[in-house]
Amino acid sequence: MGLRIYLLAGFNGGSGRGLTAALLANGLYLQGRRTMLVRQTYAGSVAAIDPVGATLPAHCTSLMLQPPFELTAGVSIKLATAINQADARFLIALKHLAIAEVGADGDVVVDLCCHDRACNRATMRGAAVIIVPVRTSVLEIDWAFRSFSHFRDKQRKRRTPVPTLLAAIAPDRERDHQRALLEAMLRESDPNREAAPSEPVDLIVEVPFLDSSCLTALLFEHAIWRDPQLMERCRAFAAAVAVHADAYVTRMKGDADDL
């Protein structure tokens, strides 16, 4: 089956990326997959309390984003950007870590940091799917959609782009409104359906919503992951994401066979 890397990405902090990554890792783990959750850090980032790492059944660890290359003063901005976009050091380190921890056919969920080099082209090429969490407020939806569009635009010249999904985080009573808004934005941003040949609804997956009582319990390191209802919703979330990963791996294999 091969190693599968699930990237949780986005440019704005507080988007729910870390918790969404944990929920996905839990869902994959509950499906019997060898699963690891990796938090990407960078020099200067502030360590925080980690109740997820203390309670999640799947293995959790962190991995540092390497510093930018030291380039000569005469290098143009365009060339420097191209070099950093091709920087595969984090991806190589991630694969070595993953194979050591979960094997060559495991699942790795990566909570990428907000650094502008975090989700570069090299890292994207190694992924089976890219997931952008999105909350319910208009500002949060706008920020998430900007990230989503950026990751898709980076891949427009690729024969087989990595699936990029919007992970909707909302209470049940707000899901219909959020989905309708996201679908409208997807249609407006891609009227010819070039980047998204499927219906916009296929690019949206629903994240299990944790209310304040669940978040409080998690903060105090209670084992919320054993709740039967949450387990079932995590499985459903992971299954929805895995459908896109499976289809992408199949297409990539077909492209390789054609060469």
Side-chain angles (χ1 to χ4, degrees):
M1 191 172 182
L3 183 69
R4 299 201 176 183
I5 298 173
Y6 299 79
L7 298 181
L8 274 292
F11 297 132
N12 56 317
S15 63
R17 194 169 49 249
L19 191 54
T20 300
L23 291 164
L24 176 58
N26 190 48
L28 294 168
Y29 174 84
L30 291 171
Q31 290 179 341
R33 299 284 299 158
R34 296 189 66 186
T35 306
M36 178 173 65
L37 172 62
V38 176
R39 271 71 167 270
Q40 185 188 61
T41 60
Y42 62 95
S45 58
V46 179
I49 298 173
D50 184 21
V52 169
T55 61
L56 191 71
H59 178 64
C60 300
T61 189
S62 60
L63 186 62
M64 181 75 73
L65 175 67
Q66 289 81 354
F69 292 114
E70 294 185 8
L71 305 174
T72 61
V75 173
S76 67
I77 295 177
K78 184 176 181 180
L79 179 57
T81 300
I83 291 172
N84 282 315
Q85 283 299 315
D87 183 3
R89 290 176 296 168
F90 177 80
L91 180 63
I92 293 169
L94 176 67
K95 287 183 175 180
H96 284 311
L97 175 64
I99 291 171
E101 294 292 342
V102 297
D105 63 346
D107 289 339
V108 183
V109 180
V110 186
D111 173 16
L112 294 173
C113 63
C114 294
H115 199 285
D116 58 1
R117 293 186 299 105
C119 196
N120 68 357
R121 286 190 174 90
T123 302
M124 291 170 68
R125 280 196 297 270
V129 67
I130 301 167
I131 305 162
V132 181
V134 52
R135 294 186 183 273
T136 55
S137 77
V138 174
L139 288 177
E140 288 168 324
I141 288 175
D142 179 64
W143 266 108
F145 199 79
R146 288 172 188 266
S147 299
F148 173 84
S149 299
H150 174 78
F151 299 139
R152 288 202 311 178
D153 288 343
K154 272 190 174 183
Q155 303 185 77
R156 285 191 180 275
K157 295 182 180 180
R158 290 199 64 190
R159 178 179 179 181
T160 308
V162 179
T164 305
L165 309 175
L166 286 165
I169 306 169
D172 289 342
R173 66 182 181 277
E174 298 181 35
R175 286 198 184 275
D176 289 343
H177 174 73
Q178 182 194 41
R179 178 175 287 272
L181 181 56
L182 290 173
E183 288 181 22
M185 294 177 74
L186 286 168
R187 289 192 180 93
E188 184 177 350
S189 68
D190 189 18
N192 297 322
R193 297 170 69 182
E194 295 175 353
S198 58
E199 290 297 323
V201 67
D202 294 336
L203 301 177
I204 304 170
V205 291
E206 292 189 356
V207 180
F209 181 76
L210 301 185
D211 59 22
S212 57
S213 62
C214 284
L215 293 174
T216 300
L218 179 60
L219 182 63
F220 286 99
E221 298 186 1
H222 295 169
I224 67 166
W225 311 105
R226 297 176 184 175
D227 176 78
Q229 186 176 9
L230 179 59
M231 291 170 66
E232 186 57 35
R233 298 189 75 173
C234 284
R235 285 194 191 96
F237 174 39
V241 174
V243 166
H244 294 271
D246 291 342
Y248 175 68
V249 170
T250 300
R251 289 198 304 272
M252 288 294 289
K253 185 178 184 301
D255 289 349
D257 292 342
D258 290 340
L259 296 177

